[in-house]
């Protein structure tokens, strides 16, 4: 429909005419997400007219049509001007039911606003063009349709406008949404209201650091959203910090019914918000009261990790958000993953229930096998397993038994094969530095940060990057504190050990000495040829020869160092650390 015709009908200010043209426009544009730039001014004018209608008492059908039109118009980020004023945002907040806690402050925008506090303690925002009344709780589905349309419009506006984000924070939209989130068990609110309340909360916490802090601290966001997650998943607490599905107490995780699509949608939004408000948690110390909250949250996340959604793809998305959030928790609080009792069918190790840790390991391997966007998809789970192993002895030993079992294959390079160890060693030479560092760190921690053991499982060539960064090329052990393990050497490894090439980590046939039969003069001549070649390549910046310092780190070699290496029999380059230098434990 021609926008000029719609505008002409809207300007009559007659509801019946407006309803007819808006319903036609909404039907035609319902699936439109790209807009004709030539009609920008007409769309802006239509937005202004719709907002003027929303400032009046309207028939329910006309009200809903106006809000649907706002939702469609706010998809166009170039035509948001009518909707990012203070009065427009308050109008939409009113219809979404979150304006009753709005507390406008002075001086943000041009409009002159006044907050009137009525006798019953409610607030209303007034200006020359819009009067916002305190909305009442909806009693029928029609009102909830209005709320949903208004929430969708606010989400569109916040997504595209920095000005709107500032206004939303200033008007304390988060207070209104949080108030309704507290009613998560109330039958009044349908799924869509709950979903878009959460989506709005996610956008506010993602886009505004101050709102994030307010929700986390003033509004006790972890407890508030934890209660939301409990209600969504229908959880109960048979034991402290151990959850179960109501009506399914005592059932194994694989025996539980799948979560419905609606449950999964709500749970994912909750996890995303919790991620936003806990983003810096593992970078700072938490007090005792906070630790209690995080352990409570960890118990909920364990249940999420062990639950299945409707379909493989949805389950993987649900688990991805769960893993991302687990990575934000303080490391000592992750012990809640190991708290459930060992039962028949549980994955048990050292008397501890390892179901959750095994699920994390399987999830990580699945992401690794897929090989797509490893930095975004693999690192959260790999980092989580690394840090859990560093701080929890049982977790490290269990993971080592799965990832680095006693070494029997000494004929193939560590990076060759389909075992999880082989896949991780291949990552140690990945083109992405973050990916290769994370893979190396995981294996290094499983080796208790022992250089000799690390080289044994990965080969010196693969290990060199991490060892150089840590100043451990001379061997030894990093500063981590670990318990003793039993001897892990197999008979196959013990027999092959003297003949294993430390660089490649594989058993090789003894090679002939290329200098056999040469005189000392010939050897010196060949050495000087090599020095001159290195020097020439170094001068043209094609390579940079390096030397191992006494502190275990690398430094650039000078021409003088190269000459010493060739002429001074006492000057010797450092050899890789010999695994024999440290007992295998």
């Amino acid at each position: 429909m021609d926008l000029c015709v719609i505008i002409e009908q809207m300007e009559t200010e007659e509801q019946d005419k407006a309803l007819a043209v808006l319903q036609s426009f909404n039907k035609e544009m319902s699936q439109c997400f790209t807009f004709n730039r030539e009609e920008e001014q007409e769309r802006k004018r239509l937005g202004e007219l719709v907002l003027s209608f929303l400032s009046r008492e309207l028939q329910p059908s006309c009200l809903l049509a106006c809000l649907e039109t706002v939702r469609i118009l706010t998809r166009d980020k170039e035509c948001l001007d009518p909707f990012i004023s203070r009065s427009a945002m308050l109008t939409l907040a009113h219809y979404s039911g979150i304006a009753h806690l709005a507390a406008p402050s002075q001086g943000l925008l041009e409009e002159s606003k006044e907050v009137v506090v009525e006798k019953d303690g409610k607030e209303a925002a007034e200006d020359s063009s819009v009067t916002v009344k305190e909305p009442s709780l909806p009693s029928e589905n029609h009102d909830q349709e209005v709320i949903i349309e208004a929430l969708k419009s606010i989400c569109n506006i916040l997504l595209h406008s920095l000005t709107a984000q500032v206004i939303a924070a200033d008007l304390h939209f988060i207070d209104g949404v949080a108030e309704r989130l507290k009613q998560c068990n109330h039958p009044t609110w349908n799924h869509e209201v709950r979903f878009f309340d959460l989506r709005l909360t996610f956008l506010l916490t993602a886009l505004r650091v101050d709102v994030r802090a307010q929700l986390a601290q003033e509004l006790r966001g972890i407890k508030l959203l934890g209660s939301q997650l409990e209600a969504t998943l229908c959880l109960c607490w048979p034991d402290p910090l151990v959850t179960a599905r109501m009506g399914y107490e005592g059932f194994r995780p694989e025996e539980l019914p799948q979560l419905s699509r609606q449950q999964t949608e709500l749970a994912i939004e909750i996890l995303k918000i919790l991620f936003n408000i806990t983003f810096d948690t593992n970078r700072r110390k938490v007090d005792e009261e906070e630790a209690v909250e995080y352990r409570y949250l960890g118990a909920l996340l364990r249940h999420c990790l062990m639950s299945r959604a409707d379909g493989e793809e949805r389950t993987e998305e649900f688990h991805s958000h769960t893993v991302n959030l687990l990575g934000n928790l303080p490391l000592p609080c992750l012990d809640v993953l190991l708290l459930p009792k060992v039962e028949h069918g549980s994955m048990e190790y050292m008397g501890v229930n390892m179901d959750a840790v095994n699920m994390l390991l399987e999830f990580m391997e699945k992401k690794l096998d897929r090989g797509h966007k490893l930095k975004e998809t693999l690192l959260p789970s790999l980092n989580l397993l690394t840090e859990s192993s560093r701080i929890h002895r049982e977790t490290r030993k269990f993971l080592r038994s799965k990832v680095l079992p006693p070494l029997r294959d000494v004929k193939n390079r560590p990076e060759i094969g389909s075992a999880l160890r082989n896949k991780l060693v291949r990552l140690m030479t990945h083109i992405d530095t973050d990916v290769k560092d994370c893979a190396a760190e995981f294996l290094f921690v499983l080796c208790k940060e022992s250089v000799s053991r690390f080289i044994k499982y990965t080969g010196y060539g693969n290990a060199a990057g991490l060892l150089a960064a840590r100043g451990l090329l001379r061997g030894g052990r990093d500063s981590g504190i670990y318990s003793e393990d039993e001897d892990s050497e197999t008979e196959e490894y013990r027999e092959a050990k003297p003949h294993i090439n430390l660089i490649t980590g594989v058993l090789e046939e003894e090679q002939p000495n290329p200098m056999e039969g040469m005189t000392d003069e010939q050897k010196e001549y060949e050495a000087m040829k090599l020095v001159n070649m290195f020097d020439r390549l170094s001068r043209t910046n094609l390579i940079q020869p390096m030397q191992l310092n006494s502190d275990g780190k690398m430094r650039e070699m000078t021409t003088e160092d190269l000459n010493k290496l060739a002429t001074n029999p006492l000057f010797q380059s450092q050899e890789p650390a010999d695994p024999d230098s440290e007992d295998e434990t």
Side-chain angles (χ1 to χ4, degrees):
M1 178 177 275
D2 189 349
L3 281 175
C4 292
V5 175
I6 298 174
I7 291 170
E8 183 179 335
Q9 295 298 310
M10 293 287 292
E11 286 176 341
T12 66
E13 298 187 359
E14 295 181 24
Q15 288 194 48
D16 291 341
K17 291 183 178 180
L19 176 61
V21 293
L22 289 182
Q23 284 180 335
S24 177
F25 174 81
N26 295 341
K27 184 177 181 180
E28 181 182 331
M29 304 292 286
S30 63
Q31 299 302 313
C32 179
F33 294 91
T34 57
F35 297 87
N36 186 348
R37 297 274 71 89
E38 295 176 0
E39 297 180 332
E40 279 187 13
Q41 295 306 314
E42 287 82 358
R43 285 196 298 276
K44 288 180 181 180
R45 176 58 182 157
L46 178 58
E48 292 170 355
L49 290 169
V50 171
L51 285 171
S52 70
F53 266 72
L54 289 173
S55 67
R56 301 158 43 189
E57 289 293 333
L58 298 175
Q59 300 168 6
S61 57
C62 187
L63 171 60
L64 188 59
C66 285
L67 288 169
E68 287 175 352
T69 303
V70 173
R71 170 172 55 83
I72 292 169
L73 292 175
T74 53
R75 292 172 182 168
D76 183 2
K77 62 182 178 181
E78 304 298 332
C79 294
L80 291 179
D81 290 352
F83 307 106
I84 58 176
S85 66
R86 194 183 190 87
S87 59
M89 294 289 285
L90 276 169
T91 299
L92 292 173
H94 158 63
Y95 286 115
S96 67
I98 62 172
H100 62 292
L101 289 177
S105 64
Q106 300 292 325
L108 254 189
L109 296 174
E110 309 83 41
E111 292 119 331
S112 174
K113 299 290 177 274
E114 182 180 359
V115 178
V116 178
V117 181
E118 301 168 354
K119 289 183 181 178
D120 60 359
K122 297 177 180 177
E123 294 180 0
E126 297 182 348
D127 66 17
S128 57
S129 60
V130 179
T131 300
V132 179
K133 298 179 179 179
E134 174 68 10
S136 57
L137 287 176
S139 57
E140 57 184 2
N141 188 58
H142 173 80
D143 289 330
Q144 298 207 40
E145 289 183 44
V146 168
I147 290 172
I148 292 163
E149 290 298 331
L151 285 171
K152 288 179 179 179
S153 298
I154 294 173
C155 289
N156 285 347
I157 295 166
L158 291 179
L159 193 59
H160 298 304
S161 172
L162 180 60
T163 302
Q165 295 163 22
V166 174
I167 295 172
D170 184 61
L171 296 180
H172 298 277
F173 279 12
I174 192 64
D175 291 293
V177 181
E179 193 63 33
R180 194 155 60 207
L181 289 177
K182 293 176 183 176
Q183 304 169 28
C184 55
N185 289 314
H186 201 287
T188 299
W189 308 112
N190 64 25
H191 167 73
E192 279 201 280
V193 172
R194 292 185 63 194
F195 178 82
F196 283 103
D197 276 345
L198 292 168
R199 175 58 59 86
L200 176 56
T201 306
F202 167 71
L203 288 173
L204 287 169
T205 54
L207 298 169
R208 296 286 303 183
V209 176
D210 53 344
V211 175
R212 195 182 307 160
Q214 182 187 357
L215 178 59
Q217 297 161 18
E218 295 176 27
L219 300 174
R220 298 183 61 82
I222 292 178
K223 183 62 178 174
L224 174 64
L225 292 158
S227 298
Q228 277 274 317
L229 197 55
E230 276 189 62
T232 299
L233 302 181
C234 305
L235 300 184
C236 60
W237 300 84
D239 292 306
L241 296 177
V242 177
T243 60
R245 197 88 57 86
M246 287 183 187
Y248 295 92
E249 295 89 341
F251 280 59
R252 294 277 305 133
E254 59 270 15
E255 298 170 342
L256 296 175
Q258 291 182 346
L259 298 173
S260 70
R261 185 173 187 83
Q262 289 189 349
Q263 284 179 303
T264 310
E265 285 179 346
L266 293 177
I268 286 174
E269 292 301 313
I270 294 168
L271 295 175
K272 286 157 59 178
I273 300 164
L274 283 165
F275 179 86
N276 287 345
I277 66 174
T278 60
F279 184 69
D280 66 338
T281 302
N282 62 7
R283 297 174 179 81
R284 61 180 177 83
K285 289 186 178 180
V286 295
D287 58 32
E288 190 173 336
E289 184 179 349
E290 288 178 308
V292 170
E293 284 193 334
Y294 287 118
R295 285 166 63 81
Y296 155 76
L297 180 55
L300 295 176
L301 294 178
R302 184 188 188 279
H303 188 92
C304 293
L305 193 63
M306 304 305 296
S307 298
R308 291 170 295 119
D310 58 329
E312 185 65 28
E313 186 176 337
R314 181 66 72 164
T315 299
E316 189 169 318
E317 182 185 5
F318 183 41
H319 287 170
S320 291
H321 289 293
T322 302
V323 170
N324 289 344
L325 181 51
L326 278 168
N328 283 358
L329 266 56
L331 295 178
C333 298
L334 293 177
D335 63 342
V336 295
L337 298 179
L338 312 178
L339 284 184
K341 298 173 184 175
V342 176
E343 299 173 349
H344 179 69
S346 297
M347 178 74 69
E348 180 268 338
Y349 190 84
M350 296 176 65
V352 176
N353 186 322
M354 287 292 173
D355 285 344
V357 176
N358 189 61
M359 180 67 78
L360 283 171
L361 185 64
E362 290 178 355
F363 178 81
M364 183 271 287
E365 187 169 9
K366 187 184 300 183
K367 295 292 187 183
L368 176 55
D369 289 341
R370 189 161 298 166
H372 179 64
K373 293 184 177 179
L374 289 178
K375 188 171 182 176
E376 292 80 9
T377 60
L378 173 69
L379 294 201
S381 54
L382 194 51
N383 274 323
L384 180 60
L385 290 170
T386 301
E387 297 307 322
S388 298
S389 301
R390 202 190 300 275
I391 198 168
H392 295 117
R393 174 174 173 263
E394 295 85 358
T395 299
R396 177 181 58 79
K397 289 196 168 191
F398 171 75
L399 290 174
R400 184 183 168 201
S401 72
K402 294 287 186 179
V403 180
L404 300 177
L407 191 58
R408 289 186 167 84
D409 181 8
V410 293
K411 294 183 179 179
N412 293 307
R413 292 185 177 220
E415 63 270 22
I416 295 175
S418 58
L420 184 51
R421 171 179 76 105
N422 307 132
K423 298 174 187 177
L424 289 167
V425 172
R426 284 198 289 273
L427 282 188
M428 292 170 65
T429 52
H430 193 274
I431 190 171
D432 189 303
T433 304
D434 290 333
V435 172
K436 72 176 184 179
D437 288 349
C438 191
E441 184 75 15
F442 178 53
L443 295 176
F444 194 48
V445 168
L446 293 188
C447 293
K448 300 197 303 183
E449 303 188 16
S450 163
V451 173
S452 61
R453 182 179 293 173
F454 187 48
I455 292 172
K456 168 185 169 181
Y457 282 102
T458 67
Y460 189 87
N462 292 315
L466 180 139
L467 298 181
R470 298 280 190 100
L472 293 172
L473 286 173
R474 289 180 176 274
R477 184 189 292 271
D478 213 349
S479 56
I481 301 175
Y482 298 93
S483 59
E484 288 299 318
D485 286 343
E486 66 281 359
D487 190 342
S488 65
E489 279 195 1
T490 61
E491 189 63 33
E492 295 92 331
Y493 181 79
R494 190 175 288 111
E495 290 178 1
K497 192 174 180 179
H499 308 290
I500 289 177
N501 183 327
L502 296 178
I503 302 299
T504 61
V506 67
L507 178 66
E508 294 181 355
E509 294 182 3
E510 188 171 346
Q511 300 295 319
N513 183 355
M515 291 191 174
E516 188 174 354
M518 285 188 182
T519 64
D520 289 342
E521 290 78 9
Q522 288 173 319
K523 291 178 182 178
E524 184 176 345
Y525 173 76
E526 293 296 330
M528 286 307 301
K529 274 177 62 178
L530 187 60
V531 167
N532 290 331
M533 290 167 62
F534 273 121
D535 185 49
R536 193 160 54 248
L537 291 171
S538 176
R539 289 178 186 276
T540 55
N541 294 320
L542 289 176
I543 66 168
Q544 176 57 64
M546 305 293 286
Q547 179 183 16
L548 190 62
N549 254 350
S550 58
D551 61 359
K553 295 187 177 181
M554 303 297 290
R555 72 170 179 84
E556 296 180 6
M557 288 188 75
T558 64
T559 304
E560 183 181 352
D561 293 329
L562 290 170
N563 288 327
K564 276 186 179 180
L565 189 63
T567 60
N568 187 351
L570 297 178
F571 184 84
Q572 297 180 351
S573 59
Q574 299 296 331
E575 296 294 334
D578 185 350
D580 289 332
S581 64
E582 183 178 341
D583 293 336
E584 292 292 335
T585 58

